[in-house]
Amino acid sequence: RQELPENLKALFRGVAMMVPDFQIIKKVKMCSVGYKDFDLLSAKFFSLYATCKEQLSNQRHYDWGLRNILSVLRTMGTTKRENETTNEALLVYRTVRDMNLSKLVAQDVQLFLSLLADLFPDESSPPKGHYPKEEAILKNVVKRHQLMYHDSWVLKVKQFYETTKVRHGIMLVGPSGGGKSCIFKCLKETLQESDGIQYKDVRFNPKSIRSQEMYGETDPMSGEWTTGIFAAIWAKYNSRNNAFNTWIIADGPVDAIWIEDLNTVLDDNKILTLANGDRIPMTDNVKIMFEVETLVNASPATVSRAGIIYVSDTDLDWEPVLKAWVLKRADPGYQALLETFIDRWIGKCTRVDPGPCFEFLQRNTAEVMREGRVGRISSFTQLFEGLTEGQETSFIVNNEKALERIFVYCLCWSVGALLEADDRSKFDRWLRDRDKSEVLPQVKQSETIYEFCVNSSTGEWEKWKPPKWTCPESDKLDFSNLLVPTMDSTRAKYIIQTIHRQKGPVLVVGAEGTAKTSTQVMFLAEQDPNEMLTKRINFSSATTPGMAQYAIEAELDKRGGKNYGPPNGKKMTIFFDDISMPEVNTWGDQTTLELVRLVIEHGGVYFLDKDKRGDFKTCEDLQYLAAMQHPVGGKNDIPNRLKRNFFIFNLVLPSITSINDIYGQMLVGRFTPNDFDDATLDVVGKLTESTIRLWRSMKSKMLPTPAKFHYVYNMRDLSRIFQGILFTPKESIIEGGLRAKEGKLDNFSPPNMMLGLWRHECDRVFCDKLTTARDKEGYDGLISEIGQDVFADAYDTACSSPKYMVSFLRDDIYDEDEILIDEAPKIYEDGGSLDMIRDRALMFLDKYNEENPSKKMELVLFEDALKHMLRINRLIEMPRGSGLLVGVGGSGKQSLTRLAAYISKAMCFQITLTKQYNRSSLLDDIRILYKSAGHKRQPTVFLFTESEIKDEVFLETINSILSTGEVPGLFAKDEMMAMTADLHNDFIRDRLGKEETQANLKQYFTDCVRDNLHIMLCMSPLNPKFPVRARKFPGLVSSPTIDWFLPWPEEALVSVSHGFINDFPLDCSDNVKSSLITHMGRVHKMVSDVCDEYFNSMRRKVYQTPKSYLSFIAAYKSMYNEKLSALKEKEGRVRLGLEKLEQGAKDVEKLKSVLADEQVKLEQTSRKVNDMLETVNMSKAEAKIEEERVEAIKKKCESDAVRIQKDKESCEADLAAAQPHVDKANKAIKEVKEGHISEIKKLANPSDIIKLVFDCVLILFQLPLTPVNPTKITVDKQEYDWFEASFKQAQQLMSAQSFLKDVTIFGASGKDFMNDESIEFLSVYVDRKDFFDPSKAKKASIAAEGLCTYVGAMKAYHGASKIVKPKLVAVEVAEERQK
């Protein structure tokens, strides 16, 4: 429960609820149901519950509240009505006892019964409920299932039965191994037989799915409702039409979220209410039940609504389970023999004593993880069956001695399977103390029974011996696929094989580096691919149930109905690696592992498809293996109910002998006397001893802390050291490589080379991960001490100067035409001194910058940077080489990785983040990488920085790639088949003797990806999420090699400043520039030292990173340029001012001499002016007279101007009156088109009106006419006396192309040149309005109409202009005169 927000709380009126008086409620209720002595009995009832609250243990599932009280009171009423004559105190006694006893833990039962006896001293304990019919059927059911009819367990079955009669919601609570599932199963079959009605149980795990998948959800995009799994089950079975009863069992942990949603189901409403508004009632033929381990997260409201039966671990314990297993043996003599062994080696079990064996282990040993006694006994029986009941071991049954040996062997690897080496020795001594008949093997000092097994053929003890391993003869060792069997792996595989043969799941537990995964992989590699497929799923903290379910389902094909299985009818073993890694949620649950438990226990999962919700998908022919680390030091444990399904045993760290066997065999197989001299072989023979000593010293001296969490040294580190040694070509050791041929290596010899190589590989694995210079100095002291102790003086000679192994000294081979013949061979060899390597690296850097001008890198390869580049390049050159580069911002992690990838000719890929970038986008990018690394088999570098972790799920994918190389669902099956088909020839060449199956081809593709894909993770140690991510995703730390970037030393800082400042133009001397460069580095180093002092005194971290140093240099250069330009600008201004002042002084001197000359001139001019003034005065009088005369002329001109203006306005008015005639003419002529004229030209004899119009046009243009000859014309069907027209001349006029243009021009300017004679001739035509009319001309032709109008307008204009023109002339004359 939680408080409402204050702003919401303010909207409500608070009402205080009083705690009810329980005693009054009990008194009234008991009186109402018929109890006469209700006063005394209600007081006893009240006292009992009050005492229980105080005296009994505080369990979350205990409910002494009102809801429980009312339930008990209702049952009291029923009991009273059924037993009216029975003593009321006895009825209350029995009802209170039976209603509460079932939920009490074992330790509270006796105290509760004592309280009842004290409250009812006059009453003897009433008999327990007796159900003769049901009990008889239950005995048969128990016998049918070959179980033990154990009294305390049977009591829980009865309590469960009694609860089913009064409750519709029931919780069966208790630790794993208490027999809860058997209670469900046996009672269901009992009721089925007793009632004659079929009972069905439907199980689902609410924590293996999301809450939305359980109840239902609305699609946020479409608004469509999708029914949940539980909602679909509820709707399906809550039907009165069903002819059977159903128990819906929620088989998973309870939390306060999903269980609260069932409150309306568990209370008297019995209705499931969904988010879409559906309300599904519960029918009488359905009960909802819960099988849980604890109710620690359940709310009181939930607890009070359900009937609770608590099954303690001591209600059953291990003995009934073991006896039931013994009774399953057919031979009574065999049973008796087994019981003898049990009594001798394990003992008897009571409620307070689990037996001497378990007692010893509990008190004297520390098991690596907790597992219930029932689980370990089940593992014992499973292992014993596997070793004794096969055909090949049938003779052992009759061999008592051999049978007892196997019994003890199985006891060690089941009951004592979770012990570490020291505790195994204790258990071995305890067993020997009880060994009266010398059953145990004779062992040497430091050996235990765990190093021995029983020979299945002879029945005798034999010491474990790994099979002989032969080193491959290939020159290039595939180190990643080299699995050398050891005693530990051999005995572990033997146990796994025994359990796996019985289809039992196996969980291997061990510390980091105990070869858990390698042992499982070796076992899986031995399976017949024609019968058994394998699938490895790597878990991390980000693995969700949906991801795990998808990873399993992706490998299955449909077989029929709702059954799915591996392809082609085969079987499949699924290996869950790091099974404990999934995150523990707020409620203490691991939802991913709940899905795993569902798959293992019930053989399937529920469909998540929208149309199949509520249906169970059965997964056939699946078997399971798992591995996990010890649940200590912040590492997760797994749920106890999941442990119950596994056979669990612990893998201890391999002994020194085993380690020697592994790597000694590899070195002997690689370095043979045929290739190497005795001195070199002598060094090789000591490598394993020296490496193991160094490894153990690092484990004991360099201990992990919260700041150095990665200081974990395990077998992986040893593997990496020997991988580097075995990766080196023989020629590099024998001949020294290119530098030796050039004579640039001092003191070269094969033994020195081998010893220097060993030191180099140890440095890369152990030293590079150290986080402080002090730790590095400590490591240097350790390896020097061990080297001098093991190799004597040879170590000082060989390791006087460090070796730098590189693979990029050779050049590409070109022919005479500069065509590439062969790429440079990548030979791992001594690169000589750092100066020689730096020159080579700078050459590659220049090439990179030339080829990538847009991504040019300005790198300063000082000593530290060059060393880091060499380390990264070494990882890229090694198969499966990945790196975790840890350093503060600006250390050069990304730039050096790009350069190293370029040197190795590898594709360097980095994701591009966008707002929409998500896991699907990441998978798209990873597909590109997989195709490059696996399909094309090209070296590929994936550069991934912490700033690109947009979602923590990204790290889940990276973790999976680093651990297994597989990403579930990355490629479709057809796409994968197409890619593997292209690798077929390579597979035949590289995997000799392997069958060409799709599974093997797919594994080969995955191996190619892992060999060629090099992941470089760039992290900052300052990021608080870094250690958290390392814990959640262990593959990020354990799989790659760690390269920790220390703070730059002063020499590096000076080198960097030299690189950026040396070529930068500074206005100073070389000495000043050199001092500045040194000063920059020293200042940054001083600030870093002060930050450390500040932390030591104030315990607060302040960081000065290389990035801030680079920013400082860049800021200095920018500010220098800015200030220098400003200074130069000021200097220019000052210089210009000085120049102006000097020039001004010179100009003043010049002006002084000029001024003297001008002074003389001034005096002369003054005299002349005075003379002139006298003359001016005389002229002034004359000007006065002239002014008066001009004034008179002015007045006359002004009066003339007024008159002229009036005349001008009159002319303009007259001209405006003539303008409409001009506009009319222009408009008429514009309507005439060339086509209209062409029509007329085509007419041989046009109508008379057309001829008349063109006569007028000829007159306007003053062209000749035909002499006058009288004739008659016809216009508009009327004849008129007229004279002959001049149409021939008109045709000539019209034949000109510019006819219309000429007409238009005439209307614009020629009209003013018309004379009276032309107008007189024209009037003859125009004045005949009876036939010379535009409307009549229009009937003949549009052109005739326009020209007719035009001619009339011209005549009218001439008449108006005759009036205007004289006036205009007069105005112009007057204006000219006025000027």
Side-chain angles (χ1 to χ4, degrees):
R1 309 294 182 187
Q2 57 187 7
E3 285 281 342
L4 287 175
E6 290 297 330
N7 55 353
L8 180 60
K9 192 190 299 184
L11 302 176
F12 294 89
R13 177 184 176 186
V15 177
M17 299 295 292
M18 294 178 60
V19 178
D21 189 336
F22 291 151
Q23 186 168 354
I24 293 177
I25 294 172
K26 293 171 184 176
K27 184 189 298 185
V28 172
K29 189 69 175 175
M30 292 180 74
C31 178
S32 68
V33 296
Y35 281 87
K36 297 178 181 178
D37 198 8
F38 58 85
D39 199 357
L40 177 61
L41 292 177
S42 64
K44 289 186 175 185
F45 190 6
F46 176 80
S47 299
L48 174 66
Y49 270 35
T51 309
C52 286
K53 285 182 183 179
E54 298 170 356
Q55 298 285 327
L56 300 188
S57 62
N58 187 18
Q59 303 289 333
R60 287 299 297 268
H61 65 273
Y62 284 180
D63 175 29
W64 310 107
L66 186 60
R67 197 174 262 115
N68 174 270
I69 291 170
L70 293 176
S71 177
V72 173
L73 289 171
R74 281 194 296 268
T75 307
M76 282 182 183
T78 304
T79 306
K80 175 66 177 175
R81 286 190 292 273
E82 293 175 354
N83 304 275
E84 294 183 0
T85 59
T86 307
N87 184 4
E88 291 182 346
L90 187 65
L91 294 179
V92 172
Y93 189 161
R94 188 176 72 188
T95 304
V96 172
R97 182 197 66 188
D98 293 346
M99 290 288 287
N100 291 289
L101 198 59
S102 63
K103 68 183 177 186
L104 300 180
V105 300
Q107 67 195 45
D108 289 338
V109 171
Q110 292 303 320
L111 179 57
F112 180 74
L113 293 177
S114 299
L115 291 174
L116 277 173
D118 292 344
L119 285 170
F120 299 94
D122 298 334
E123 304 294 336
S124 59
S125 178
K128 298 177 181 178
H130 185 53
Y131 311 99
K133 179 183 176 183
E134 286 78 6
E135 288 182 22
I137 296 173
L138 178 62
K139 283 184 180 179
N140 293 331
V141 171
V142 169
K143 186 176 181 181
R144 185 162 63 242
H145 288 292
Q146 297 180 311
L147 303 174
M148 290 293 297
Y149 197 77
H150 191 61
D151 290 341
S152 57
W153 179 80
V154 171
L155 176 61
K156 291 299 174 183
V157 179
K158 288 182 182 178
Q159 292 172 351
F160 186 36
Y161 170 63
E162 292 169 349
T163 309
T164 59
K165 295 196 296 183
V166 297
R167 294 275 194 170
H168 63 277
I170 304 165
M171 290 186 176
L172 203 56
V173 188
S176 177
K180 300 187 295 297
S181 298
C182 286
I183 290 175
F184 276 113
K185 179 173 64 176
C186 293
L187 183 61
K188 185 190 74 170
E189 295 184 16
T190 299
L191 293 179
Q192 189 167 286
E193 190 173 340
S194 172
D195 299 343
I197 300 175
Q198 182 183 5
Y199 278 75
K200 291 184 178 181
D201 61 338
V202 181
R203 286 179 177 266
F204 74 100
N205 192 329
K207 296 310 287 283
S208 67
I209 50 179
R210 297 183 298 115
S211 178
Q212 295 89 337
E213 292 169 345
M214 178 178 173
Y215 294 109
E217 59 186 326
T218 302
D219 190 308
M221 301 297 292
S222 64
E224 180 186 0
W225 171 258
T226 302
T227 303
I229 291 172
F230 174 71
I233 294 172
W234 187 261
K236 179 179 179 181
Y237 291 101
N238 278 282
S239 172
R240 293 182 175 84
N241 297 325
N242 292 339
F244 52 83
N245 291 338
T246 306
W247 291 354
I248 299 177
I249 303 173
D251 187 5
V254 168
D255 65 41
I257 302 299
W258 72 265
I259 195 68
E260 287 286 331
D261 295 330
L262 292 178
N263 279 355
T264 56
V265 173
L266 294 174
D267 61 20
D268 294 338
N269 293 313
K270 297 185 182 181
I271 292 176
L272 176 65
T273 304
L274 300 177
N276 67 338
D278 287 353
R279 293 166 60 83
I280 309 173
M282 186 179 190
T283 56
D284 296 335
N285 56 358
V286 172
K287 292 186 183 299
I288 183 166
M289 301 183 180
F290 306 85
E291 183 178 351
V292 297
E293 185 175 4
T294 177
L295 290 175
V296 66
N297 293 318
S299 66
T302 301
V303 170
S304 63
R305 282 174 164 83
I308 296 175
I309 297 93
Y310 189 87
V311 184
S312 298
D313 52 355
T314 55
D315 288 337
L316 187 66
D317 221 323
W318 61 268
E319 190 171 19
V321 177
L322 189 54
K323 283 186 177 181
W325 173 77
V326 171
L327 291 176
K328 292 179 183 178
R329 310 307 105 189
D331 185 4
Y334 186 40
Q335 294 179 8
L337 189 61
L338 290 175
E339 289 177 356
T340 303
F341 295 158
I342 292 169
D343 292 341
R344 181 181 304 162
W345 297 103
I346 305 178
K348 295 285 187 183
C349 175
T350 65
R351 277 185 172 271
V352 294
D353 182 13
C357 180
F358 285 106
E359 182 75 13
F360 172 80
L361 292 173
Q362 184 176 335
R363 292 183 179 274
N364 298 285
T365 62
E367 296 171 336
V368 296
M369 69 185 295
R370 297 182 59 185
E371 187 189 10
R373 293 190 289 268
V374 173
R376 283 184 278 178
I377 287 297
S378 299
S379 298
F380 166 80
T381 60
Q382 199 173 12
L383 183 59
F384 192 84
E385 278 186 39
L387 294 177
T388 59
E389 298 188 4
Q391 291 184 351
E392 64 277 4
T393 57
S394 57
F395 79 96
I396 292 180
V397 177
N398 300 317
N399 186 338
E400 181 178 341
K401 205 76 172 175
L403 201 62
E404 190 168 5
R405 292 191 187 104
I406 292 178
F407 187 95
V408 175
Y409 172 82
C410 294
L411 186 67
C412 293
W413 285 102
S414 56
V415 176
L418 295 175
L419 302 177
E420 285 285 62
D422 293 341
D423 288 331
R424 286 183 177 184
S425 299
K426 294 179 185 177
F427 191 47
D428 178 81
R429 288 195 295 271
W430 183 84
L431 290 173
R432 293 183 186 282
D433 292 340
R434 302 180 69 86
D435 184 16
K436 307 303 180 186
S437 53
E438 297 184 355
V439 174
L440 271 66
Q442 298 299 316
V443 297
K444 299 177 183 177
Q445 189 174 2
S446 77
E447 288 183 345
T448 65
I449 189 175
Y450 288 88
E451 278 78 51
F452 291 82
C453 67
V454 179
N455 188 300
S456 58
S457 302
T458 63
E460 298 293 333
W461 288 106
E462 283 186 1
K463 189 173 181 181
W464 282 110
K465 289 184 181 178
K468 187 172 172 118
W469 180 78
T470 305
C471 181
E473 297 181 0
S474 172
D475 226 14
K476 288 187 89 176
L477 287 177
D478 186 6
F479 193 84
S480 58
N481 287 317
L482 284 182
L483 295 174
V484 182
T486 64
M487 181 186 71
D488 300 290
S489 65
T490 304
R491 64 186 176 186
K493 279 199 305 177
Y494 179 74
I495 295 172
I496 295 172
Q497 177 64 48
T498 303
I499 304 302
H500 190 266
R501 191 168 53 241
Q502 302 174 75
K503 301 183 179 179
V506 181
L507 171 61
V508 179
V509 185
E512 196 171 5
T514 50
K516 303 181 294 296
T517 301
S518 298
T519 301
Q520 304 270 33
V521 170
M522 289 170 69
F523 170 74
L524 294 175
E526 295 173 358
Q527 303 303 304
D528 183 1
N530 295 320
E531 296 182 2
M532 180 68 71
L533 302 177
T534 60
K535 167 72 175 178
R536 181 179 172 189
I537 301 175
N538 193 268
F539 282 174
S540 74
S541 66
T543 307
T544 61
M547 295 163 68
Q549 180 169 339
Y550 180 76
I552 296 171
E553 291 177 333
E555 305 297 324
L556 306 180
D557 290 345
K558 188 171 183 178
R559 290 186 171 178
K562 298 169 187 172
N563 294 345
Y564 289 74
N568 305 321
K570 298 179 182 179
K571 298 179 180 179
M572 176 180 283
T573 298
I574 297 178
F575 172 37
F576 299 110
D577 202 3
D578 282 330
I579 193 172
S580 62
M581 281 307 300
E583 185 178 15
V584 178
N585 63 18
T586 310
W587 311 106
D589 308 320
Q590 290 168 286
T591 55
T592 306
L593 299 189
E594 292 301 324
L595 177 97
V596 173
R597 183 169 70 85
L598 179 69
V599 172
I600 295 175
E601 273 189 13
H602 304 293
V605 295
Y606 276 93
F607 284 99
L608 297 180
D609 308 67
K610 291 183 179 180
D611 56 338
K612 296 181 181 178
R613 290 283 175 94
D615 292 340
F616 190 75
K617 176 190 283 189
T618 302
C619 302
E620 300 175 339
D621 294 332
L622 296 182
Q623 293 180 241
Y624 306 94
L625 302 177
M628 63 173 283
Q629 295 187 29
H630 293 162
V632 294
K635 298 182 178 67
N636 299 332
D637 200 352
I638 63 173
N640 292 323
R641 298 192 67 195
L642 178 59
K643 293 179 191 173
R644 179 71 178 79
N645 294 282
F646 281 104
F647 181 98
I648 308 176
F649 68 93
N650 180 46
L651 268 183
V652 297
L653 286 169
S655 62
I656 302 302
T657 305
S658 296
I659 299 173
N660 267 318
D661 289 344
I662 296 171
Y663 301 110
Q665 292 181 70
M666 290 184 183
L667 293 174
V668 169
R670 177 71 168 170
F671 302 102
T672 61
N674 298 332
D675 299 322
F676 296 89
D677 56 25
D678 293 339
T680 306
L681 292 176
D682 181 57
V683 172
V684 170
K686 297 176 181 178
L687 289 183
T688 52
E689 178 194 352
S690 56
T691 308
I692 292 169
R693 282 184 59 181
L694 177 62
W695 175 63
R696 297 179 71 179
S697 298
M698 293 295 289
K699 285 179 66 176
S700 60
K701 301 288 177 61
M702 302 292 180
L703 299 175
T705 66
K708 304 173 182 178
F709 59 88
H710 63 288
Y711 277 23
V712 179
Y713 301 93
N714 50 49
M715 292 287 290
R716 288 192 184 94
D717 299 304
L718 291 175
S719 298
R720 288 175 183 142
I721 292 172
F722 288 104
Q723 180 184 9
I725 295 173
L726 297 172
F727 177 72
T728 308
K730 295 178 182 179
E731 292 76 13
S732 298
I733 299 173
I734 298 171
E735 301 174 1
L738 184 64
R739 296 300 190 202
K741 292 177 183 178
E742 295 172 351
K744 296 180 179 179
L745 296 183
D746 298 331
N747 300 326
F748 169 75
S749 67
N752 288 349
M753 182 66 197
M754 177 60 73
L755 202 47
L757 174 64
W758 171 77
R759 169 66 192 259
H760 176 269
E761 297 305 317
C762 290
D763 289 349
R764 298 291 73 76
V765 175
F766 290 133
C767 187
D768 289 351
K769 69 163 64 175
L770 301 179
T771 62
T772 63
R774 183 178 177 182
D775 287 349
K776 288 184 182 289
E777 291 172 2
Y779 160 80
D780 190 61
L782 284 176
I783 193 170
S784 298
E785 180 184 345
I786 294 169
Q788 292 166 0
D789 187 31
V790 176
F791 301 104
D793 295 338
Y795 175 81
D796 294 331
T797 305
C799 302
S800 57
S801 59
K803 286 195 180 299
Y804 302 101
M805 304 296 292
V806 298
S807 304
F808 52 81
L809 296 183
R810 313 298 173 109
D811 292 318
D812 295 334
I813 301 173
Y814 294 89
D815 62 8
E816 297 175 354
D817 299 326
E818 295 296 321
I819 297 175
L820 181 65
I821 299 175
D822 194 8
E823 289 189 349
K826 296 180 179 179
I827 299 174
Y828 196 53
E829 56 191 339
D830 192 344
S833 67
L834 273 180
D835 290 334
M836 289 187 274
I837 297 174
R838 183 181 288 108
D839 294 338
R840 186 79 178 168
L842 289 173
M843 182 267 291
F844 281 109
L845 178 61
D846 293 339
K847 281 187 176 180
Y848 176 89
N849 290 334
E850 287 175 10
E851 295 178 13
N852 303 277
S854 62
K855 300 178 182 178
K856 192 174 181 181
M857 293 191 297
E858 299 291 343
L859 290 181
V860 179
L861 292 179
F862 53 87
E863 184 175 327
D864 272 23
L866 185 59
K867 287 179 180 178
H868 284 298
M869 193 278 290
L870 295 180
R871 294 165 192 169
I872 298 169
N873 179 258
R874 169 182 171 271
L875 294 176
I876 296 173
E877 294 293 347
M878 282 211 171
R880 304 196 183 190
S882 293
L884 175 60
L885 313 180
V886 186
V888 296
S891 298
K893 302 185 291 293
Q894 298 185 52
S895 300
L896 294 176
T897 300
R898 291 191 184 94
L899 178 59
Y902 177 78
I903 292 173
S904 298
K905 298 181 179 178
M907 180 188 83
C908 187
F909 180 85
Q910 191 170 7
I911 66 175
T912 303
L913 277 184
T914 61
K915 287 185 178 180
Q916 289 77 30
Y917 199 92
N918 52 22
R919 186 170 185 266
S920 298
S921 308
L922 177 66
L923 292 180
D924 291 339
D925 288 337
I926 290 175
R927 287 188 191 96
I928 297 172
L929 297 175
Y930 267 52
K931 289 176 181 177
S932 171
H935 189 206
K936 300 177 183 177
R937 303 184 68 186
Q938 295 178 350
T940 306
V941 175
F942 182 22
L943 180 58
F944 190 74
T945 68
E946 63 183 2
S947 62
E948 294 160 354
I949 306 174
K950 193 174 180 182
D951 190 337
E952 294 295 308
V953 179
F954 288 10
L955 293 177
E956 159 70 11
T957 306
I958 302 298
N959 183 76
S960 180
I961 295 172
L962 287 170
S963 302
T964 65
E966 296 182 4
V967 180
L970 186 64
F971 292 105
K973 290 185 179 180
D974 54 347
E975 189 176 3
M976 176 60 72
M977 291 179 70
M979 288 191 294
T980 53
D982 295 339
L983 296 173
H984 184 263
N985 295 333
D986 296 327
F987 172 82
I988 295 173
R989 183 183 65 251
D990 295 342
R991 300 290 167 90
L992 298 175
K994 283 271 191 181
E995 292 189 33
E996 300 169 25
T997 62
Q998 180 59 30
N1000 286 338
L1001 284 168
K1002 183 180 177 182
Q1003 185 59 46
Y1004 179 68
F1005 172 82
T1006 304
D1007 289 342
C1008 289
V1009 170
R1010 299 187 71 187
D1011 289 343
N1012 294 311
L1013 180 57
H1014 308 280
I1015 298 178
M1016 294 296 159
L1017 301 173
C1018 300
M1019 301 289 180
S1020 171
L1022 309 183
N1023 191 337
K1025 291 184 179 179
F1026 175 51
V1028 177
R1029 288 166 174 165
R1031 178 173 55 82
K1032 289 184 175 182
F1033 306 95
L1036 302 183
V1037 176
S1038 61
S1039 296
T1041 299
I1042 300 175
D1043 184 14
W1044 199 282
F1045 285 63
L1046 295 182
W1048 289 353
E1050 186 175 329
E1051 296 79 7
L1053 295 168
V1054 173
S1055 298
V1056 171
S1057 61
H1058 182 273
F1060 284 98
I1061 301 297
N1062 192 49
D1063 296 332
F1064 182 69
L1066 289 177
D1067 195 1
C1068 65
S1069 65
D1070 292 341
N1071 289 335
V1072 173
K1073 179 183 282 192
S1074 177
S1075 300
L1076 173 66
I1077 289 170
T1078 306
H1079 178 70
M1080 282 183 166
R1082 286 180 180 173
V1083 165
H1084 187 81
K1085 186 70 174 69
M1086 290 166 59
V1087 173
S1088 299
D1089 294 341
V1090 170
C1091 289
D1092 294 338
E1093 293 176 11
Y1094 181 73
F1095 174 74
N1096 292 330
S1097 60
M1098 306 299 294
R1099 309 308 297 173
R1100 293 182 65 182
K1101 278 283 188 184
V1102 179
Y1103 300 101
Q1104 282 297 320
T1105 65
K1107 195 168 189 177
S1108 61
Y1109 181 58
L1110 296 174
S1111 300
F1112 160 66
I1113 294 175
Y1116 171 80
K1117 292 165 68 175
S1118 174
M1119 186 174 291
Y1120 179 83
N1121 285 331
E1122 182 183 339
K1123 295 297 182 183
L1124 183 62
S1125 61
L1127 192 61
K1128 286 184 176 179
E1129 184 181 353
K1130 289 180 181 179
E1131 180 193 18
R1133 289 176 180 175
V1134 170
R1135 184 178 289 111
L1136 180 62
L1138 291 174
E1139 290 175 356
K1140 293 293 184 183
L1141 287 174
E1142 291 177 358
Q1143 184 65 36
K1146 292 177 182 178
D1147 292 345
V1148 167
E1149 293 299 326
K1150 289 180 181 179
L1151 288 173
K1152 283 182 179 179
S1153 61
V1154 171
L1155 184 61
D1157 297 337
E1158 293 297 325
Q1159 184 68 31
V1160 175
K1161 293 180 180 179
L1162 181 61
E1163 292 174 355
Q1164 294 175 356
T1165 305
S1166 297
R1167 287 195 296 269
K1168 291 179 180 180
V1169 169
N1170 291 331
D1171 295 340
M1172 189 180 296
L1173 284 175
E1174 293 177 0
T1175 307
V1176 168
N1177 289 330
M1178 294 173 63
S1179 299
K1180 189 175 180 181
E1182 296 176 357
K1184 181 70 176 173
I1185 298 170
E1186 185 66 23
E1187 180 182 358
E1188 292 175 354
R1189 188 176 65 82
V1190 169
E1191 184 66 24
I1193 295 172
K1194 178 183 175 184
K1195 290 180 179 179
K1196 183 177 182 302
C1197 287
E1198 287 176 352
S1199 64
D1200 290 343
V1202 171
R1203 178 178 55 80
I1204 292 169
Q1205 182 64 30
K1206 289 180 180 179
D1207 293 343
K1208 188 175 181 181
E1209 290 174 358
S1210 174
C1211 290
E1212 287 176 352
D1214 294 339
L1215 190 62
Q1219 187 63 32
H1221 302 294
V1222 178
D1223 295 339
K1224 184 177 180 182
N1226 290 334
K1227 181 181 178 183
I1229 204 63
K1230 283 181 180 178
E1231 292 176 355
V1232 180
K1233 306 297 180 185
E1234 291 287 347
H1236 302 152
I1237 302 299
S1238 299
E1239 288 178 4
I1240 296 174
K1241 285 194 291 186
K1242 292 176 183 178
L1243 298 174
N1245 186 22
S1247 59
D1248 291 336
I1249 187 64
I1250 294 175
K1251 294 177 182 180
L1252 296 177
V1253 169
F1254 276 94
D1255 281 355
C1256 294
V1257 174
L1258 290 172
I1259 293 170
L1260 284 176
F1261 279 85
Q1262 298 180 1
L1263 294 176
L1265 300 175
T1266 302
V1268 177
N1269 291 317
T1271 185
K1272 288 187 179 290
I1273 61 173
T1274 303
V1275 178
D1276 199 16
K1277 299 181 181 180
Q1278 290 187 14
E1279 286 189 357
Y1280 298 93
D1281 291 327
W1282 201 249
F1283 45 85
E1284 187 176 346
S1286 305
F1287 190 67
K1288 288 183 181 180
Q1289 290 87 335
Q1291 284 180 325
Q1292 293 175 2
L1293 178 64
M1294 284 188 292
S1295 62
Q1297 292 183 352
S1298 58
F1299 170 68
L1300 285 178
K1301 184 178 180 182
D1302 294 341
V1303 172
T1304 304
I1305 292 172
F1306 183 86
S1309 57
K1311 63 182 183 294
D1312 293 326
F1313 299 101
M1314 292 185 295
N1315 53 34
D1316 292 341
E1317 185 180 2
S1318 298
I1319 296 303
E1320 184 179 356
F1321 286 131
L1322 196 61
S1323 298
V1324 176
Y1325 292 86
V1326 175
D1327 293 342
R1328 292 296 301 267
K1329 302 296 184 182
D1330 52 344
F1331 61 82
F1332 195 84
D1333 184 75
S1335 61
K1336 294 180 179 180
K1338 183 178 180 181
K1339 296 177 181 179
S1341 168
I1342 295 176
E1345 179 197 15
L1347 290 172
C1348 182
T1349 304
Y1350 178 82
V1351 169
M1354 288 297 105
K1355 177 182 178 297
Y1357 174 78
H1358 180 76
S1361 65
K1362 283 180 68 175
I1363 301 171
V1364 175
K1365 274 186 180 181
K1367 291 181 180 180
L1368 285 174
V1369 171
V1371 169
E1372 287 176 0
V1373 170
E1375 285 178 343
E1376 286 296 326
R1377 287 177 179 173
Q1378 192 178 17
K1379 291 179 182 178

